[in-house]
Amino acid sequence: MNNRNKILSISLLILFFSIQNIFASQNLKVGKDYVVTENLRLRTSKFNGNKIVCVLKAGAKVRVLKIGEKEVIDEIESNWVFVEVQKDAKNIKDEVVKYGVVGWCFAGYLANTNQSKNIPNYANANGSIISTSDNIIKRKHIQNITIGDLAEESERIVYSDVNESKILYTLQDNDEIQIKEIWYIKYAENEKAFVNIKVKDFNGFIKLLNDPYENNQFEILEKITVGKKTWTVRKLQQMLAVWAKNDTVELRDAPGLEGTNVIGQVPASYRNGNNQINLEIEAITEEKDLKQTNDNWIRVTYDGKTGWVYGYYLSAERGGPQYLIPNDVLDFEFGWY
């Protein structure tokens, strides 16, 4: 191949990847998977200059959870996106990056790919998928709730079906509802979630404000055994602030204090001149640590290290339950304050 043809081939290759990047940025959708086209930094927040969570190797798959502002980097215009790392991803050291690690990256280096066909594991308990179609996901969810002052007017209407064809009943304070299933419905860009319930002699549907199982919240990710203790690790995506009397909080290589090692330190909010320190949470232990203050262990990735922080030192800067566990979310949505 002569030099002219080589230059032409290289130019066409560069153009191909540029078109891929533009196409990806123009078709960004929440809930869609993309593949990393070049080694890509995952950051704690939007824009260059923020702490690096990890550097993903080209070929890693990520799922877009939020779409942020546009920016031009390396002459590529695209959005910053908040993503979740999918299974079998690796970093530039060729180490496996845990499924569920989250962070912000520049979408200009993402390209379209096939959607991951991950069947979430809920051990046949709440959250287990009963059936799916093009438009509807039905999940098992068994829970009894007493209606209280937190239930909004729209959440007190019991419909005959998910099309809201007929009102069967309007819930009153202290009514007992039996939740049987949760339905997530999507038509075009319109998304809805309903609980299938029984109240008195009525079987019907109540519209939810949000889907408590969005992106398979609270699915089982793995089990970790440390000594004689086995921890069930479940996905939990939310933001919590770090609060402690000491300047830092320990980041450990596994849940619990016994048989685990400190692998890093997370600074506490408003200590040593820090502002509020917020962490993007990735996972939570189903079990509480009874040897401590009866709280859960929380998985985060901080300063390039994925580890565990004790939940006692983390706080939700909002109303509602500390952890967005589906049962707790529904208790707060329908119950008493």
Side-chain angles (χ1 to χ4, degrees):
M1 182 183 291
N2 59 38
N3 288 338
R4 183 179 177 183
N5 287 338
K6 282 184 180 178
I7 293 170
L8 180 60
S9 296
I10 292 170
S11 299
L12 288 172
L13 190 62
I14 292 171
L15 178 61
F16 170 74
F17 281 111
S18 297
I19 291 171
Q20 269 197 318
N21 287 330
I22 293 169
F23 184 74
S25 68
Q26 290 174 339
N27 290 273
L28 289 173
K29 290 184 179 179
V30 171
K32 191 174 182 303
D33 291 351
Y34 297 87
V35 65
V36 174
T37 58
E38 297 182 22
N39 294 343
L40 183 61
R41 294 181 182 92
L42 208 60
R43 297 180 179 275
T44 54
S45 57
K46 292 168 269 189
F47 309 119
N48 283 315
N50 289 294
K51 275 191 173 292
I52 295 172
V53 174
C54 65
V55 183
L56 294 174
K57 188 177 180 180
K61 273 190 175 184
V62 296
R63 177 165 298 166
V64 170
L65 303 181
K66 301 175 190 173
I67 299 175
E69 295 87 348
K70 279 193 174 183
E71 189 175 352
V72 177
I73 297 177
D74 296 334
E75 299 183 352
I76 301 170
E77 182 181 26
S78 191
N79 298 76
W80 282 88
V81 287
F82 185 66
V83 300
E84 173 194 72
V85 176
Q86 299 301 291
K87 292 181 178 179
D88 303 321
K90 291 186 177 182
N91 62 20
I92 55 172
K93 297 179 181 178
D94 217 33
E95 300 165 332
V96 173
V97 179
K98 280 188 176 290
Y99 166 50
V101 168
V102 293
W104 288 89
C105 68
F106 183 60
Y109 300 106
L110 300 179
N112 292 308
T113 188
N114 295 328
Q115 195 76 1
S116 300
K117 295 186 177 180
N118 171 38
I119 299 174
N121 176 18
Y122 287 94
N124 201 33
N126 281 358
S128 299
I129 294 177
I130 300 168
S131 65
T132 61
S133 67
D134 291 339
N135 306 109
I136 301 175
I137 300 174
K138 299 179 186 179
R139 293 181 187 267
K140 175 181 178 180
H141 189 96
I142 308 299
Q143 185 177 358
N144 295 339
I145 300 177
T146 301
I147 298 299
D149 58 357
L150 291 171
E152 297 188 5
E153 287 186 20
S154 63
E155 297 172 303
R156 292 173 178 266
I157 301 172
V158 182
Y159 294 102
S160 57
D161 53 52
V162 294
N163 294 318
E164 304 170 45
S165 304
K166 179 182 177 183
I167 295 176
L168 299 178
Y169 180 69
T170 301
L171 296 171
Q172 307 300 313
D173 285 353
N174 295 316
D175 276 343
E176 295 279 344
I177 64 171
Q178 299 172 16
I179 298 176
K180 299 179 288 183
E181 296 173 354
I182 293 181
W183 292 27
Y184 167 76
I185 303 165
K186 183 172 183 179
Y187 295 104
E189 298 302 315
N190 188 20
E191 300 178 32
K192 296 180 181 180
F194 291 84
V195 282
N196 180 211
I197 67 137
K198 180 177 181 181
V199 57
K200 299 185 182 295
D201 295 327
F202 301 102
N203 288 285
F205 294 85
I206 302 172
K207 190 192 298 185
L208 294 173
L209 299 177
N210 297 289
D211 178 11
Y213 289 105
E214 184 177 2
N215 195 38
N216 296 320
Q217 183 88 307
F218 215 55
E219 69 170 305
I220 298 172
L221 301 181
E222 61 179 331
K223 288 183 180 287
I224 298 175
T225 299
V226 182
K228 296 181 179 180
K229 177 72 174 178
T230 297
W231 304 90
T232 305
V233 179
R234 289 182 174 268
K235 182 191 287 188
L236 188 78
Q237 292 176 340
Q238 65 178 99
M239 183 179 286
L240 294 173
V242 184
W243 297 98
K245 293 181 180 179
N246 297 328
D247 291 343
T248 59
V249 173
E250 292 176 343
L251 183 69
R252 291 184 168 267
D253 60 356
L257 295 179
E258 296 180 5
T260 64
N261 301 301
V262 177
I263 59 172
Q265 299 286 336
V266 180
S269 298
Y270 303 109
R271 307 286 297 184
N272 284 337
N274 292 322
N275 293 319
Q276 182 167 308
I277 304 297
N278 296 317
L279 296 178
E280 291 286 356
I281 307 308
E282 302 166 359
I284 186 172
T285 57
E286 180 178 318
E287 302 80 9
K288 295 181 182 293
D289 195 336
L290 302 179
K291 293 185 178 180
Q292 304 301 316
T293 59
N294 197 30
D295 209 323
N296 308 71
W297 285 86
I298 307 296
R299 194 185 87 187
V300 301
T301 299
Y302 183 80
D303 204 15
K305 298 174 182 176
T306 299
W308 294 86
V309 172
Y310 188 46
Y312 175 79
Y313 301 110
L314 302 177
S315 175
E317 294 298 294
R318 51 167 171 71
Q322 180 178 6
Y323 305 125
L324 298 182
I325 296 169
N327 277 47
D328 296 346
V329 169
L330 291 175
D331 269 330
F332 186 79
E333 197 161 326
F334 289 106
W336 290 96
Y337 186 75

